[in-house]
């Protein structure tokens, strides 16, 4: 099968006005199949937009290769550089970029008017523009001007314009960030349904992990220009490749430890901890587990990773209650569907299965960011970390 988009060894540096060089994309590689919905996810400044713009041809990389549908559109080794309008793709921007003096229909028709070949008769352009507008459910607004539309309707107009060319690949740069939460959720579902129905390949930039989880067939997590992991939402969540991915997606409890062969586990401030994952190559390790993987009980369970704890805080969060617990110098968050089982001050037993304990190489330094978090003793090496997105 021909790949829809293939990126290899892609690098792009910028020079800031003070002369500092920024590597916005650092040796990135991703292979995308036709019909996939790929989400580029990462915090602000990690290089998502730059990567998208290099695929579109709006930014020229320094080195590497990009091919679309088997054809190189950029290749540094033989200086291939295909201009944006000759790449077989469409792009939808955060700002929608609608022409205010043109009707909705003419905005949507615009890409058909400006394309070089093959030329299309005006009547056919109008028919396709209307069809695209009907696809996104606003055929009746074709005679309106953008200023007369709601945010959600403007977003649909921009989507129709991205669809009108029938491009096999559509790039989305945070297109849902300008509408309120409720409309956003609705538009997200509509976009996904449209993509599934029409079958185009979508490459979608966001810093919102919920949005990524909902839309993506696969997520590419970026950090400082590097692609840290590409995987399905479940793979990224359950088997993160790096501590960065584990802490960026979802919520984690974290503690540092050192490998102790005599215990076949890690020695930590929370007590000995065992994990089913491979031991890190370095002696020091970052040990992480998710709040929903901890179990709180009133009596001592059998098995490893069992700790006697004090409940210090409870927080009702609808689907689950968050229990903050403390033992020795360590603290952790536990999410449980048993809402009123424990109160602050209660003694309880915490257990975490070794299968749910993730281990990554530590750098010897203690994470500090979350140590100042409420309910975490300042001298503790056990930290709570919350997703950044
Ligand atoms: N034209 C430019 N000149 C200099 N630096 C740039 C330029 N464009 C981007 N950068 C830098 O490259 C890095 C990546 O920027 P990019 O816009 O790709 O990040 P992003 O992940 O899309 O961020 P955000 O989510 O905030 O849009 C940042 O450090 C940014 O400051």
């Amino acid at each position: 099968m021909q790949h829809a988009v293939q990126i290899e060894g892609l690098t792009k540096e910028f020079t800031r006005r003070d002369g500092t060089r920024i590597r916005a994309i650092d040796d990135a590689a991703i292979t995308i199949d036709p019909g996939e919905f790929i989400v580029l996810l990462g915090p602000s400044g990690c290089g998502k937009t730059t990567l998208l713009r290099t695929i579109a041809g709006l930014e020229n990389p320094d080195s590497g290769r990009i091919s679309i549908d088997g054809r190189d559109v950029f290749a540094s080794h033989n200086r291939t550089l295909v201009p944006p309008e000759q790449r077989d793709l469409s792009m939808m921007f955060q700002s929608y970029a609608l022409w205010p003096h043109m009707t909705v229909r003419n905005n949507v028709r615009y890409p058909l008017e400006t394309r070089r070949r093959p030329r299309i008769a005006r009547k056919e352009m109008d028919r396709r523009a209307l069809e695209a507008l009907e696809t996104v459910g606003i055929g009746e607004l074709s005679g309106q001007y953008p200023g007369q539309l709601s945010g959600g309707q403007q977003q649909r107009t921009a989507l129709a314009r991205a669809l009108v060319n029938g491009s096999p690949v559509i790039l989305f740069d945070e297109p849902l960030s300008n509408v309120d939460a409720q409309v956003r959720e609705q538009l997200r579902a509509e976009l996904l349904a449209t993509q599934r129905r029409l079958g185009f390949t979508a490459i979608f930039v966001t810093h919102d992990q919920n949005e990524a989880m909902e839309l993506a067939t696969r997520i590419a997590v970026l950090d400082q220009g590097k692609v840290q992991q590409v995987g399905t939402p479940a793979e990224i969540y359950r088997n993160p490749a790096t501590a960065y991915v584990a802490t960026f997606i979802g919520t984690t409890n974290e503690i540092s430890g050192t490998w102790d062969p005599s215990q076949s586990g890690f020695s930590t401030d929370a007590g000995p901890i065992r994990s089913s994952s491979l031991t890190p190559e370095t002696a020091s390790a970052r040990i992480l587990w998710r709040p929903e993987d901890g179990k709180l009980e009133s009596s001592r369970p059998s098995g490893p990773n069992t700790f006697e704890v004090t409940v210090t805080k409870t927080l009702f969060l609808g689907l689950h209650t968050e229990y903050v617990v403390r033992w020795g110098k360590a603290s952790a968050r536990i999410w449980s569907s048993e809402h009123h089982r424990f109160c602050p001050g209660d003694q309880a037993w915490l257990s975490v299965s070794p299968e749910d304990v993730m281990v990554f190489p530590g750098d010897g330094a203690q994470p500090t960011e979350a140590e100042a978090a409420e309910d975490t003793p300042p001298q503790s090496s056990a930290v709570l970390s919350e997703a950044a997105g």
Side-chain angles (χ1 to χ4, degrees):
M1 183 172 50
Q2 193 85 270
H3 299 304
V5 177
Q6 194 169 22
I7 296 168
E8 283 173 356
L10 203 73
T11 296
K12 170 71 183 171
E13 283 193 356
F14 290 111
T15 305
R16 293 208 171 126
R17 296 186 71 166
D18 64 2
T20 330
R21 308 265 308 156
I22 296 293
R23 193 165 275 216
I25 309 175
D26 192 353
D27 198 18
I30 309 179
T31 299
I32 302 169
D33 288 329
E36 276 205 276
F37 202 121
I38 292 284
V39 174
L40 306 179
L41 177 70
S44 184
C46 72
K48 307 178 292 288
T49 298
T50 306
L51 184 55
L52 201 74
R53 288 171 59 83
T54 59
I55 300 170
L58 302 173
E59 208 75 75
N60 294 340
D62 301 324
S63 57
R65 191 173 77 88
I66 303 172
S67 71
I68 297 174
D69 199 20
R71 175 174 74 123
D72 280 0
V73 293
F74 172 79
S76 53
H77 72 278
N78 61 7
R79 302 188 174 206
T80 300
L81 184 63
V82 175
E85 66 279 7
Q86 288 171 29
R87 300 186 180 193
D88 206 2
L89 43 78
S90 300
M91 186 155 173
M92 182 171 165
F93 298 93
Q94 188 173 13
S95 59
Y96 312 149
L98 299 176
W99 297 107
H101 62 285
M102 283 187 193
T103 61
V104 163
R105 185 195 61 192
N106 290 357
N107 263 286
V108 173
R109 200 176 65 181
Y110 191 72
L112 297 175
E113 284 174 9
T114 52
R115 83 175 180 184
R116 287 191 191 156
R117 275 174 293 160
R119 298 291 304 171
I120 306 171
R122 186 158 284 263
K123 244 185 169 176
E124 175 62 10
M125 286 191 215
D126 285 343
R127 192 194 65 75
R128 289 197 200 175
L130 198 61
E131 185 181 72
L133 284 165
E134 276 163 3
T135 298
V136 300
I138 52 165
E140 76 284 3
L141 297 177
S142 67
Q144 298 291 101
Y145 286 88
Q148 299 170 316
L149 303 180
S150 71
Q153 290 164 342
Q154 288 180 32
Q155 198 269 356
R156 286 188 178 93
T157 306
L159 177 59
R161 189 179 51 187
L163 296 176
V164 78
N165 256 333
S167 306
V169 177
I170 305 186
L171 312 179
F172 298 90
D173 190 3
E174 304 223 30
L176 307 180
S177 56
N178 286 337
V179 284
D180 67 50
Q182 216 176 342
V183 178
R184 189 181 168 119
E185 211 159 287
Q186 192 191 341
L187 290 173
R188 216 187 264 172
E190 284 178 18
L191 172 61
L192 194 57
T194 306
Q195 188 264 345
R196 293 283 191 274
R197 190 155 37 89
L198 301 182
F200 58 84
T201 305
I203 309 180
F204 187 103
V205 160
T206 185
H207 60 266
D208 178 336
Q209 55 169 297
N210 291 329
E211 191 158 278
M213 289 280 185
E214 185 174 330
L215 291 173
T217 48
R218 287 188 303 150
I219 298 174
V221 184
L222 274 76
D223 177 34
Q224 295 178 44
K226 286 191 193 303
V227 178
Q228 294 261 329
Q229 185 172 6
V230 186
T232 64
E235 280 165 359
I236 297 272
Y237 190 79
R238 292 314 317 180
N239 296 306
T242 62
Y244 172 84
V245 174
T247 53
F248 185 71
I249 308 282
T251 305
T252 49
N253 292 298
E254 176 169 350
I255 193 161
S256 56
T258 47
W259 176 245
D260 180 355
S262 69
Q263 297 183 41
S264 302
F266 295 89
S267 168
T268 78
D269 277 351
I273 295 186
R274 286 197 190 167
S275 167
S276 308
S277 66
L278 293 173
T279 54
E281 284 160 18
T282 48
S284 73
R286 291 177 70 179
I287 298 164
L288 290 94
W289 47 278
R290 302 215 180 265
E292 67 270 29
D293 292 330
K295 285 187 189 58
L296 272 188
E297 288 166 77
S298 344
S299 52
R300 181 178 194 147
S302 58
N305 303 342
T306 300
F307 312 100
E308 189 171 16
V309 301
T310 304
V311 176
T312 59
K313 197 167 154 186
T314 66
L315 189 60
F316 177 75
L317 293 170
L319 277 181
H320 59 255
T321 287
E322 175 171 288
Y323 296 98
V324 180
V325 300
R326 218 181 253 226
W327 69 110
K329 288 180 178 176
S331 66
R333 292 172 187 173
I334 317 296
W335 291 346
S336 166
S337 56
E338 293 185 87
H339 291 294
H340 303 292
R341 179 108 188 254
F342 301 98
C343 299
D346 284 355
Q347 292 297 115
W349 287 89
L350 164 65
S351 61
V352 189
S353 162
E355 282 87 52
D356 296 324
V357 175
M358 302 178 273
V359 176
F360 300 98
D363 55 10
Q366 300 300 327
T368 54
E369 200 180 306
E371 267 179 327
E374 202 188 345
D375 276 315
T376 307
Q379 75 279 24
S380 171
S381 62
V383 298
L384 305 171
S385 68
E386 184 85 63

